[in-house]
Amino acid sequence: MPVISVPQEFNEDELYVDLLAVVGHSLFLKCEGFNFAGSIKLKAASEMVEAAERDGLLRPGSILVESSSGNLGVALSMIAASRGYGFRCVTDPRCNLATRRLMEALGAEVHTVTEPHPEGGFLQARIDHVRALCASDPRCVWLDQYANPSNWKAHHRTTAPAIARQFPALDVLFVGAGTTGTLMGCARFFRERHPAVRIVAVDTVGSVSFGGPAGQRMIPGLGMAVRPHFLDESYVDDVVLVEERDTIRTCHALARRGFLFGGSTGTVVSGATTWLERHGARDLTAVAIAPDLGERYLDTVYQTNWLRDLYGEDVLGSDEPLDVPRAA
């Protein structure tokens, strides 16, 4: 019987869903949402906070400050509450309402940037606001998830080894690309320990991470308006880009099977399905990482009016269990 004294001590790291019946290919989905922060971001948040404490950057009375589209903000809200720090999260209108309310319930102060930067979009606008907050209050400490090596090191130390233990004959790993902390932590681990494993990055159309043109992105979690600091494409074997309409259809297809996942997971599963179909890869051992669950997306990805207003009446497509998404 697990007994914990602080919320970050609990994280279910060994739960997988077999998606063969849903996507028509052998694909195991590593579920990272079963902790008190509700997402994989708990790992990076914990690693960054602990490193800042060891380095003497965080002291009694410090105020954590971070830019986040949602999940990292929730994780830091939880850790700040348990350790006695203040927390100011800078987000933008794409952050789900449920996520903002959750951060506030945990005691965070949420700042929503309403105007994008003319060149760097909402991301650059958020970072500018973070810097202004830090300049105005010496108690503020910016962990900087975009350049903090503890972000990718958390997954090099935990996520990737956990997958390797469960799947010693792994052929291909699908990882969503946001800050690329998860992607690069896993890619570096497998290149060092199991170099035969293929690493496939899954990104969203409209993200510039892998050189594509910038475009509107309404689902938070994956994609970047600037090239990620961590990204080293020499560690990535392939890239799949996913349209948000395919993300939505995949989320709903999974929900029709009883699995309610978030938008990032829908993107990763959609991209993995595309790649497996394109390569005729029915005999490979494949794992995809699901960053979070779906409850925080009930007002967006799972809300009919929101979907129709942004993507049109036919966004959900056919009634088949899963439409194989278009190749990027």
Side-chain angles (χ1 to χ4, degrees), residues 17-28 250 253-254 257 269-270 272-284 286 320-325:
V17 176
D18 183 349
L19 293 181
L20 175 62
V22 183
V23 303
H25 293 273
S26 178
L27 179 64
F28 296 94
T250 303
L254 291 167
R257 295 296 186 113
V269 173
S270 178
T273 305
T274 295
W275 191 93
L276 292 168
E277 186 69 22
R278 182 192 301 160
H279 289 79
R282 298 188 179 275
D283 297 323
L284 296 180
E320 295 299 317
L322 181 64
D323 295 321
V324 175

PDB file of all heavy atoms in Angstrom, residues 17-28 250 253-254 257 269-270 272-284 286 320-325:
ATOM      1  N   VAL A  17      -1.590   1.034 -22.557  1.00  0.00           N
ATOM      2  CA  VAL A  17      -2.824   0.605 -23.213  1.00  0.00           C
ATOM      3  C   VAL A  17      -2.460  -0.010 -24.557  1.00  0.00           C
ATOM      4  O   VAL A  17      -1.724   0.598 -25.357  1.00  0.00           O
ATOM      5  CB  VAL A  17      -3.789   1.791 -23.432  1.00  0.00           C
ATOM      6  CG1 VAL A  17      -5.023   1.337 -24.210  1.00  0.00           C
ATOM      7  CG2 VAL A  17      -4.197   2.401 -22.099  1.00  0.00           C
ATOM      8  N   ASP A  18      -2.963  -1.207 -24.819  1.00  0.00           N
ATOM      9  CA  ASP A  18      -2.766  -1.877 -26.105  1.00  0.00           C
ATOM     10  C   ASP A  18      -3.805  -1.323 -27.085  1.00  0.00           C
ATOM     11  O   ASP A  18      -5.005  -1.547 -26.911  1.00  0.00           O
ATOM     12  CB  ASP A  18      -2.929  -3.385 -25.927  1.00  0.00           C
ATOM     13  CG  ASP A  18      -2.662  -4.174 -27.200  1.00  0.00           C
ATOM     14  OD1 ASP A  18      -2.546  -3.560 -28.278  1.00  0.00           O
ATOM     15  OD2 ASP A  18      -2.578  -5.415 -27.121  1.00  0.00           O
ATOM     16  N   LEU A  19      -3.349  -0.609 -28.107  1.00  0.00           N
ATOM     17  CA  LEU A  19      -4.258   0.065 -29.034  1.00  0.00           C
ATOM     18  C   LEU A  19      -4.517  -0.727 -30.317  1.00  0.00           C
ATOM     19  O   LEU A  19      -5.094  -0.184 -31.262  1.00  0.00           O
ATOM     20  CB  LEU A  19      -3.712   1.453 -29.397  1.00  0.00           C
ATOM     21  CG  LEU A  19      -3.671   2.484 -28.279  1.00  0.00           C
ATOM     22  CD1 LEU A  19      -3.126   3.810 -28.815  1.00  0.00           C
ATOM     23  CD2 LEU A  19      -5.047   2.688 -27.664  1.00  0.00           C
ATOM     24  N   LEU A  20      -4.123  -1.985 -30.367  1.00  0.00           N
ATOM     25  CA  LEU A  20      -4.290  -2.765 -31.584  1.00  0.00           C
ATOM     26  C   LEU A  20      -5.734  -2.744 -32.086  1.00  0.00           C
ATOM     27  O   LEU A  20      -5.989  -2.552 -33.273  1.00  0.00           O
ATOM     28  CB  LEU A  20      -3.840  -4.212 -31.348  1.00  0.00           C
ATOM     29  CG  LEU A  20      -4.058  -5.189 -32.513  1.00  0.00           C
ATOM     30  CD1 LEU A  20      -3.263  -4.753 -33.737  1.00  0.00           C
ATOM     31  CD2 LEU A  20      -3.661  -6.610 -32.094  1.00  0.00           C
ATOM     32  N   ALA A  21      -6.698  -2.930 -31.189  1.00  0.00           N
ATOM     33  CA  ALA A  21      -8.097  -2.981 -31.600  1.00  0.00           C
ATOM     34  C   ALA A  21      -8.614  -1.621 -32.067  1.00  0.00           C
ATOM     35  O   ALA A  21      -9.621  -1.544 -32.763  1.00  0.00           O
ATOM     36  CB  ALA A  21      -8.962  -3.495 -30.443  1.00  0.00           C
ATOM     37  N   VAL A  22      -7.922  -0.554 -31.694  1.00  0.00           N
ATOM     38  CA  VAL A  22      -8.377   0.792 -32.045  1.00  0.00           C
ATOM     39  C   VAL A  22      -7.750   1.274 -33.342  1.00  0.00           C
ATOM     40  O   VAL A  22      -8.436   1.808 -34.220  1.00  0.00           O
ATOM     41  CB  VAL A  22      -8.058   1.787 -30.915  1.00  0.00           C
ATOM     42  CG1 VAL A  22      -8.604   3.177 -31.241  1.00  0.00           C
ATOM     43  CG2 VAL A  22      -8.611   1.289 -29.588  1.00  0.00           C
ATOM     44  N   VAL A  23      -6.444   1.089 -33.487  1.00  0.00           N
ATOM     45  CA  VAL A  23      -5.748   1.658 -34.639  1.00  0.00           C
ATOM     46  C   VAL A  23      -5.380   0.633 -35.704  1.00  0.00           C
ATOM     47  O   VAL A  23      -4.909   0.991 -36.782  1.00  0.00           O
ATOM     48  CB  VAL A  23      -4.480   2.416 -34.199  1.00  0.00           C
ATOM     49  CG1 VAL A  23      -4.829   3.493 -33.196  1.00  0.00           C
ATOM     50  CG2 VAL A  23      -3.424   1.475 -33.621  1.00  0.00           C
ATOM     51  N   GLY A  24      -5.568  -0.650 -35.408  1.00  0.00           N
ATOM     52  CA  GLY A  24      -5.263  -1.669 -36.403  1.00  0.00           C
ATOM     53  C   GLY A  24      -3.795  -2.018 -36.518  1.00  0.00           C
ATOM     54  O   GLY A  24      -3.386  -2.734 -37.433  1.00  0.00           O
ATOM     55  N   HIS A  25      -2.974  -1.520 -35.621  1.00  0.00           N
ATOM     56  CA  HIS A  25      -1.545  -1.824 -35.583  1.00  0.00           C
ATOM     57  C   HIS A  25      -1.154  -2.114 -34.146  1.00  0.00           C
ATOM     58  O   HIS A  25      -1.795  -1.636 -33.214  1.00  0.00           O
ATOM     59  CB  HIS A  25      -0.712  -0.647 -36.095  1.00  0.00           C
ATOM     60  CG  HIS A  25      -0.886  -0.366 -37.548  1.00  0.00           C
ATOM     61  ND1 HIS A  25      -0.156  -0.991 -38.538  1.00  0.00           N
ATOM     62  CD2 HIS A  25      -1.727   0.487 -38.186  1.00  0.00           C
ATOM     63  CE1 HIS A  25      -0.538  -0.540 -39.715  1.00  0.00           C
ATOM     64  NE2 HIS A  25      -1.478   0.355 -39.531  1.00  0.00           N
ATOM     65  N   SER A  26      -0.083  -2.872 -33.974  1.00  0.00           N
ATOM     66  CA  SER A  26       0.437  -3.105 -32.634  1.00  0.00           C
ATOM     67  C   SER A  26       1.068  -1.809 -32.133  1.00  0.00           C
ATOM     68  O   SER A  26       2.091  -1.363 -32.658  1.00  0.00           O
ATOM     69  CB  SER A  26       1.477  -4.227 -32.660  1.00  0.00           C
ATOM     70  OG  SER A  26       2.019  -4.422 -31.372  1.00  0.00           O
ATOM     71  N   LEU A  27       0.426  -1.192 -31.148  1.00  0.00           N
ATOM     72  CA  LEU A  27       0.904   0.074 -30.603  1.00  0.00           C
ATOM     73  C   LEU A  27       0.536   0.127 -29.125  1.00  0.00           C
ATOM     74  O   LEU A  27      -0.636   0.015 -28.763  1.00  0.00           O
ATOM     75  CB  LEU A  27       0.274   1.258 -31.334  1.00  0.00           C
ATOM     76  CG  LEU A  27       0.677   2.655 -30.842  1.00  0.00           C
ATOM     77  CD1 LEU A  27       2.167   2.900 -31.056  1.00  0.00           C
ATOM     78  CD2 LEU A  27      -0.151   3.726 -31.548  1.00  0.00           C
ATOM     79  N   PHE A  28       1.543   0.285 -28.287  1.00  0.00           N
ATOM     80  CA  PHE A  28       1.328   0.368 -26.851  1.00  0.00           C
ATOM     81  C   PHE A  28       1.472   1.825 -26.415  1.00  0.00           C
ATOM     82  O   PHE A  28       2.472   2.467 -26.708  1.00  0.00           O
ATOM     83  CB  PHE A  28       2.330  -0.519 -26.103  1.00  0.00           C
ATOM     84  CG  PHE A  28       2.169  -1.979 -26.403  1.00  0.00           C
ATOM     85  CD1 PHE A  28       2.922  -2.581 -27.404  1.00  0.00           C
ATOM     86  CD2 PHE A  28       1.247  -2.750 -25.712  1.00  0.00           C
ATOM     87  CE1 PHE A  28       2.769  -3.925 -27.700  1.00  0.00           C
ATOM     88  CE2 PHE A  28       1.085  -4.100 -26.000  1.00  0.00           C
ATOM     89  CZ  PHE A  28       1.848  -4.687 -26.998  1.00  0.00           C
ATOM     90  N   THR A 250      -8.920  11.580 -33.574  1.00  0.00           N
ATOM     91  CA  THR A 250      -8.294  10.494 -32.839  1.00  0.00           C
ATOM     92  C   THR A 250      -8.706  10.520 -31.370  1.00  0.00           C
ATOM     93  O   THR A 250      -8.998   9.470 -30.776  1.00  0.00           O
ATOM     94  CB  THR A 250      -6.767  10.565 -32.975  1.00  0.00           C
ATOM     95  OG1 THR A 250      -6.414  10.519 -34.366  1.00  0.00           O
ATOM     96  CG2 THR A 250      -6.104   9.416 -32.245  1.00  0.00           C
ATOM     97  N   ALA A 253     -12.133   9.096 -31.265  1.00  0.00           N
ATOM     98  CA  ALA A 253     -12.126   7.654 -31.525  1.00  0.00           C
ATOM     99  C   ALA A 253     -11.694   6.887 -30.281  1.00  0.00           C
ATOM    100  O   ALA A 253     -12.275   5.853 -29.936  1.00  0.00           O
ATOM    101  CB  ALA A 253     -11.203   7.346 -32.698  1.00  0.00           C
ATOM    102  N   LEU A 254     -10.678   7.385 -29.582  1.00  0.00           N
ATOM    103  CA  LEU A 254     -10.246   6.750 -28.349  1.00  0.00           C
ATOM    104  C   LEU A 254     -11.334   6.832 -27.281  1.00  0.00           C
ATOM    105  O   LEU A 254     -11.571   5.876 -26.535  1.00  0.00           O
ATOM    106  CB  LEU A 254      -8.954   7.404 -27.849  1.00  0.00           C
ATOM    107  CG  LEU A 254      -7.702   7.144 -28.686  1.00  0.00           C
ATOM    108  CD1 LEU A 254      -6.582   8.091 -28.281  1.00  0.00           C
ATOM    109  CD2 LEU A 254      -7.245   5.700 -28.557  1.00  0.00           C
ATOM    110  N   ARG A 257     -13.909   4.270 -27.325  1.00  0.00           N
ATOM    111  CA  ARG A 257     -13.496   2.994 -26.756  1.00  0.00           C
ATOM    112  C   ARG A 257     -13.339   3.070 -25.233  1.00  0.00           C
ATOM    113  O   ARG A 257     -12.879   2.127 -24.614  1.00  0.00           O
ATOM    114  CB  ARG A 257     -12.161   2.552 -27.380  1.00  0.00           C
ATOM    115  CG  ARG A 257     -12.231   2.253 -28.877  1.00  0.00           C
ATOM    116  CD  ARG A 257     -13.141   1.088 -29.180  1.00  0.00           C
ATOM    117  NE  ARG A 257     -13.108   0.723 -30.584  1.00  0.00           N
ATOM    118  CZ  ARG A 257     -12.612  -0.420 -31.063  1.00  0.00           C
ATOM    119  NH1 ARG A 257     -12.151  -1.319 -30.224  1.00  0.00           N
ATOM    120  NH2 ARG A 257     -12.615  -0.663 -32.353  1.00  0.00           N
ATOM    121  N   VAL A 269      -0.935   9.692 -31.056  1.00  0.00           N
ATOM    122  CA  VAL A 269      -1.530   8.463 -31.582  1.00  0.00           C
ATOM    123  C   VAL A 269      -1.837   8.608 -33.068  1.00  0.00           C
ATOM    124  O   VAL A 269      -1.612   7.687 -33.866  1.00  0.00           O
ATOM    125  CB  VAL A 269      -2.791   8.081 -30.785  1.00  0.00           C
ATOM    126  CG1 VAL A 269      -3.516   6.905 -31.439  1.00  0.00           C
ATOM    127  CG2 VAL A 269      -2.418   7.732 -29.350  1.00  0.00           C
ATOM    128  N   SER A 270      -2.337   9.771 -33.465  1.00  0.00           N
ATOM    129  CA  SER A 270      -2.600  10.020 -34.880  1.00  0.00           C
ATOM    130  C   SER A 270      -1.316   9.918 -35.695  1.00  0.00           C
ATOM    131  O   SER A 270      -1.279   9.262 -36.744  1.00  0.00           O
ATOM    132  CB  SER A 270      -3.223  11.407 -35.061  1.00  0.00           C
ATOM    133  OG  SER A 270      -3.447  11.694 -36.421  1.00  0.00           O
ATOM    134  N   ALA A 272       1.491   8.369 -34.879  1.00  0.00           N
ATOM    135  CA  ALA A 272       1.998   6.995 -34.848  1.00  0.00           C
ATOM    136  C   ALA A 272       1.228   6.116 -35.833  1.00  0.00           C
ATOM    137  O   ALA A 272       1.825   5.297 -36.554  1.00  0.00           O
ATOM    138  CB  ALA A 272       1.888   6.435 -33.433  1.00  0.00           C
ATOM    139  N   THR A 273      -0.082   6.287 -35.893  1.00  0.00           N
ATOM    140  CA  THR A 273      -0.898   5.505 -36.826  1.00  0.00           C
ATOM    141  C   THR A 273      -0.508   5.791 -38.263  1.00  0.00           C
ATOM    142  O   THR A 273      -0.390   4.882 -39.095  1.00  0.00           O
ATOM    143  CB  THR A 273      -2.387   5.818 -36.600  1.00  0.00           C
ATOM    144  OG1 THR A 273      -2.728   5.590 -35.241  1.00  0.00           O
ATOM    145  CG2 THR A 273      -3.261   4.954 -37.489  1.00  0.00           C
ATOM    146  N   THR A 274      -0.297   7.068 -38.581  1.00  0.00           N
ATOM    147  CA  THR A 274       0.140   7.456 -39.918  1.00  0.00           C
ATOM    148  C   THR A 274       1.457   6.770 -40.276  1.00  0.00           C
ATOM    149  O   THR A 274       1.614   6.200 -41.357  1.00  0.00           O
ATOM    150  CB  THR A 274       0.323   8.985 -39.991  1.00  0.00           C
ATOM    151  OG1 THR A 274      -0.933   9.610 -39.822  1.00  0.00           O
ATOM    152  CG2 THR A 274       0.917   9.410 -41.315  1.00  0.00           C
ATOM    153  N   TRP A 275       2.418   6.851 -39.357  1.00  0.00           N
ATOM    154  CA  TRP A 275       3.742   6.287 -39.628  1.00  0.00           C
ATOM    155  C   TRP A 275       3.673   4.771 -39.809  1.00  0.00           C
ATOM    156  O   TRP A 275       4.267   4.212 -40.745  1.00  0.00           O
ATOM    157  CB  TRP A 275       4.688   6.636 -38.485  1.00  0.00           C
ATOM    158  CG  TRP A 275       6.127   6.345 -38.765  1.00  0.00           C
ATOM    159  CD1 TRP A 275       7.069   7.190 -39.272  1.00  0.00           C
ATOM    160  CD2 TRP A 275       6.802   5.088 -38.550  1.00  0.00           C
ATOM    161  NE1 TRP A 275       8.282   6.556 -39.382  1.00  0.00           N
ATOM    162  CE2 TRP A 275       8.156   5.269 -38.951  1.00  0.00           C
ATOM    163  CE3 TRP A 275       6.400   3.860 -38.053  1.00  0.00           C
ATOM    164  CZ2 TRP A 275       9.087   4.239 -38.874  1.00  0.00           C
ATOM    165  CZ3 TRP A 275       7.336   2.826 -37.979  1.00  0.00           C
ATOM    166  CH2 TRP A 275       8.654   3.022 -38.389  1.00  0.00           C
ATOM    167  N   LEU A 276       2.944   4.099 -38.934  1.00  0.00           N
ATOM    168  CA  LEU A 276       2.839   2.641 -39.025  1.00  0.00           C
ATOM    169  C   LEU A 276       2.137   2.221 -40.305  1.00  0.00           C
ATOM    170  O   LEU A 276       2.531   1.238 -40.951  1.00  0.00           O
ATOM    171  CB  LEU A 276       2.101   2.104 -37.801  1.00  0.00           C
ATOM    172  CG  LEU A 276       2.845   2.238 -36.462  1.00  0.00           C
ATOM    173  CD1 LEU A 276       1.910   1.942 -35.300  1.00  0.00           C
ATOM    174  CD2 LEU A 276       4.066   1.321 -36.420  1.00  0.00           C
ATOM    175  N   GLU A 277       1.116   2.953 -40.703  1.00  0.00           N
ATOM    176  CA  GLU A 277       0.405   2.639 -41.940  1.00  0.00           C
ATOM    177  C   GLU A 277       1.311   2.873 -43.146  1.00  0.00           C
ATOM    178  O   GLU A 277       1.355   2.064 -44.082  1.00  0.00           O
ATOM    179  CB  GLU A 277      -0.856   3.499 -42.048  1.00  0.00           C
ATOM    180  CG  GLU A 277      -1.749   3.149 -43.226  1.00  0.00           C
ATOM    181  CD  GLU A 277      -2.416   1.797 -43.073  1.00  0.00           C
ATOM    182  OE1 GLU A 277      -2.540   1.313 -41.934  1.00  0.00           O
ATOM    183  OE2 GLU A 277      -2.825   1.228 -44.108  1.00  0.00           O
ATOM    184  N   ARG A 278       2.043   3.971 -43.125  1.00  0.00           N
ATOM    185  CA  ARG A 278       2.923   4.318 -44.242  1.00  0.00           C
ATOM    186  C   ARG A 278       4.010   3.272 -44.428  1.00  0.00           C
ATOM    187  O   ARG A 278       4.425   2.974 -45.557  1.00  0.00           O
ATOM    188  CB  ARG A 278       3.561   5.682 -43.976  1.00  0.00           C
ATOM    189  CG  ARG A 278       4.472   6.195 -45.092  1.00  0.00           C
ATOM    190  CD  ARG A 278       5.272   7.386 -44.600  1.00  0.00           C
ATOM    191  NE  ARG A 278       4.414   8.462 -44.153  1.00  0.00           N
ATOM    192  CZ  ARG A 278       4.811   9.436 -43.339  1.00  0.00           C
ATOM    193  NH1 ARG A 278       6.046   9.438 -42.865  1.00  0.00           N
ATOM    194  NH2 ARG A 278       3.979  10.397 -42.994  1.00  0.00           N
ATOM    195  N   HIS A 279       4.498   2.715 -43.320  1.00  0.00           N
ATOM    196  CA  HIS A 279       5.597   1.757 -43.394  1.00  0.00           C
ATOM    197  C   HIS A 279       5.125   0.302 -43.416  1.00  0.00           C
ATOM    198  O   HIS A 279       5.952  -0.612 -43.435  1.00  0.00           O
ATOM    199  CB  HIS A 279       6.557   1.963 -42.207  1.00  0.00           C
ATOM    200  CG  HIS A 279       7.348   3.221 -42.298  1.00  0.00           C
ATOM    201  ND1 HIS A 279       6.820   4.462 -41.973  1.00  0.00           N
ATOM    202  CD2 HIS A 279       8.629   3.448 -42.709  1.00  0.00           C
ATOM    203  CE1 HIS A 279       7.753   5.384 -42.158  1.00  0.00           C
ATOM    204  NE2 HIS A 279       8.848   4.801 -42.599  1.00  0.00           N
ATOM    205  N   GLY A 280       3.807   0.091 -43.427  1.00  0.00           N
ATOM    206  CA  GLY A 280       3.302  -1.277 -43.422  1.00  0.00           C
ATOM    207  C   GLY A 280       3.844  -2.077 -42.263  1.00  0.00           C
ATOM    208  O   GLY A 280       4.128  -3.276 -42.379  1.00  0.00           O
ATOM    209  N   ALA A 281       3.996  -1.400 -41.129  1.00  0.00           N
ATOM    210  CA  ALA A 281       4.734  -1.967 -39.997  1.00  0.00           C
ATOM    211  C   ALA A 281       3.803  -2.664 -39.016  1.00  0.00           C
ATOM    212  O   ALA A 281       3.513  -2.155 -37.946  1.00  0.00           O
ATOM    213  CB  ALA A 281       5.514  -0.861 -39.294  1.00  0.00           C
ATOM    214  N   ARG A 282       3.340  -3.853 -39.388  1.00  0.00           N
ATOM    215  CA  ARG A 282       2.393  -4.559 -38.526  1.00  0.00           C
ATOM    216  C   ARG A 282       3.074  -5.516 -37.549  1.00  0.00           C
ATOM    217  O   ARG A 282       2.423  -6.019 -36.644  1.00  0.00           O
ATOM    218  CB  ARG A 282       1.374  -5.314 -39.380  1.00  0.00           C
ATOM    219  CG  ARG A 282       0.543  -4.362 -40.235  1.00  0.00           C
ATOM    220  CD  ARG A 282      -0.602  -5.042 -40.944  1.00  0.00           C
ATOM    221  NE  ARG A 282      -1.364  -4.068 -41.710  1.00  0.00           N
ATOM    222  CZ  ARG A 282      -2.334  -3.319 -41.208  1.00  0.00           C
ATOM    223  NH1 ARG A 282      -2.665  -3.441 -39.936  1.00  0.00           N
ATOM    224  NH2 ARG A 282      -2.977  -2.451 -41.961  1.00  0.00           N
ATOM    225  N   ASP A 283       4.344  -5.763 -37.714  1.00  0.00           N
ATOM    226  CA  ASP A 283       5.033  -6.712 -36.844  1.00  0.00           C
ATOM    227  C   ASP A 283       6.040  -6.038 -35.925  1.00  0.00           C
ATOM    228  O   ASP A 283       6.774  -6.719 -35.204  1.00  0.00           O
ATOM    229  CB  ASP A 283       5.757  -7.775 -37.683  1.00  0.00           C
ATOM    230  CG  ASP A 283       4.777  -8.613 -38.506  1.00  0.00           C
ATOM    231  OD1 ASP A 283       3.693  -8.897 -37.976  1.00  0.00           O
ATOM    232  OD2 ASP A 283       5.108  -8.958 -39.653  1.00  0.00           O
ATOM    233  N   LEU A 284       6.093  -4.715 -35.932  1.00  0.00           N
ATOM    234  CA  LEU A 284       7.032  -4.004 -35.077  1.00  0.00           C
ATOM    235  C   LEU A 284       6.488  -3.872 -33.659  1.00  0.00           C
ATOM    236  O   LEU A 284       5.277  -3.826 -33.445  1.00  0.00           O
ATOM    237  CB  LEU A 284       7.303  -2.601 -35.629  1.00  0.00           C
ATOM    238  CG  LEU A 284       7.991  -2.501 -36.988  1.00  0.00           C
ATOM    239  CD1 LEU A 284       8.179  -1.034 -37.361  1.00  0.00           C
ATOM    240  CD2 LEU A 284       9.333  -3.216 -36.963  1.00  0.00           C
ATOM    241  N   ALA A 286       5.975  -1.288 -31.037  1.00  0.00           N
ATOM    242  CA  ALA A 286       5.912   0.177 -31.066  1.00  0.00           C
ATOM    243  C   ALA A 286       5.267   0.704 -29.794  1.00  0.00           C
ATOM    244  O   ALA A 286       4.268   0.166 -29.317  1.00  0.00           O
ATOM    245  CB  ALA A 286       5.127   0.647 -32.287  1.00  0.00           C
ATOM    246  N   GLU A 320     -16.488   5.627 -38.173  1.00  0.00           N
ATOM    247  CA  GLU A 320     -15.611   4.480 -38.000  1.00  0.00           C
ATOM    248  C   GLU A 320     -14.832   4.618 -36.696  1.00  0.00           C
ATOM    249  O   GLU A 320     -14.594   5.733 -36.219  1.00  0.00           O
ATOM    250  CB  GLU A 320     -14.650   4.354 -39.174  1.00  0.00           C
ATOM    251  CG  GLU A 320     -15.341   4.043 -40.491  1.00  0.00           C
ATOM    252  CD  GLU A 320     -16.078   2.735 -40.448  1.00  0.00           C
ATOM    253  OE1 GLU A 320     -15.518   1.758 -39.906  1.00  0.00           O
ATOM    254  OE2 GLU A 320     -17.216   2.672 -40.918  1.00  0.00           O
ATOM    255  N   PRO A 321     -14.403   3.499 -36.094  1.00  0.00           N
ATOM    256  CA  PRO A 321     -13.662   3.592 -34.832  1.00  0.00           C
ATOM    257  C   PRO A 321     -12.454   4.492 -34.902  1.00  0.00           C
ATOM    258  O   PRO A 321     -12.148   5.178 -33.961  1.00  0.00           O
ATOM    259  CB  PRO A 321     -13.261   2.131 -34.565  1.00  0.00           C
ATOM    260  CG  PRO A 321     -14.313   1.330 -35.244  1.00  0.00           C
ATOM    261  CD  PRO A 321     -14.673   2.108 -36.468  1.00  0.00           C
ATOM    262  N   LEU A 322     -11.739   4.492 -36.033  1.00  0.00           N
ATOM    263  CA  LEU A 322     -10.602   5.401 -36.158  1.00  0.00           C
ATOM    264  C   LEU A 322     -10.310   5.607 -37.633  1.00  0.00           C
ATOM    265  O   LEU A 322     -10.044   4.670 -38.366  1.00  0.00           O
ATOM    266  CB  LEU A 322      -9.358   4.846 -35.459  1.00  0.00           C
ATOM    267  CG  LEU A 322      -8.125   5.752 -35.521  1.00  0.00           C
ATOM    268  CD1 LEU A 322      -8.406   7.057 -34.772  1.00  0.00           C
ATOM    269  CD2 LEU A 322      -6.910   5.086 -34.961  1.00  0.00           C
ATOM    270  N   ASP A 323     -10.375   6.844 -38.083  1.00  0.00           N
ATOM    271  CA  ASP A 323      -9.940   7.180 -39.430  1.00  0.00           C
ATOM    272  C   ASP A 323      -8.425   7.286 -39.437  1.00  0.00           C
ATOM    273  O   ASP A 323      -7.867   8.027 -38.646  1.00  0.00           O
ATOM    274  CB  ASP A 323     -10.525   8.521 -39.889  1.00  0.00           C
ATOM    275  CG  ASP A 323     -12.033   8.463 -40.015  1.00  0.00           C
ATOM    276  OD1 ASP A 323     -12.531   7.443 -40.463  1.00  0.00           O
ATOM    277  OD2 ASP A 323     -12.678   9.443 -39.668  1.00  0.00           O
ATOM    278  N   VAL A 324      -7.751   6.546 -40.315  1.00  0.00           N
ATOM    279  CA  VAL A 324      -6.306   6.677 -40.394  1.00  0.00           C
ATOM    280  C   VAL A 324      -5.996   8.066 -40.906  1.00  0.00           C
ATOM    281  O   VAL A 324      -6.470   8.474 -41.964  1.00  0.00           O
ATOM    282  CB  VAL A 324      -5.712   5.619 -41.341  1.00  0.00           C
ATOM    283  CG1 VAL A 324      -4.218   5.838 -41.520  1.00  0.00           C
ATOM    284  CG2 VAL A 324      -5.978   4.215 -40.803  1.00  0.00           C
ATOM    285  N   PRO A 325      -5.246   8.878 -40.174  1.00  0.00           N
ATOM    286  CA  PRO A 325      -5.011  10.265 -40.553  1.00  0.00           C
ATOM    287  C   PRO A 325      -4.127  10.378 -41.777  1.00  0.00           C
ATOM    288  O   PRO A 325      -3.439   9.440 -42.167  1.00  0.00           O
ATOM    289  CB  PRO A 325      -4.324  10.863 -39.324  1.00  0.00           C
ATOM    290  CG  PRO A 325      -3.708   9.698 -38.637  1.00  0.00           C
ATOM    291  CD  PRO A 325      -4.611   8.528 -38.910  1.00  0.00           C
TER     292      PRO A 325
END
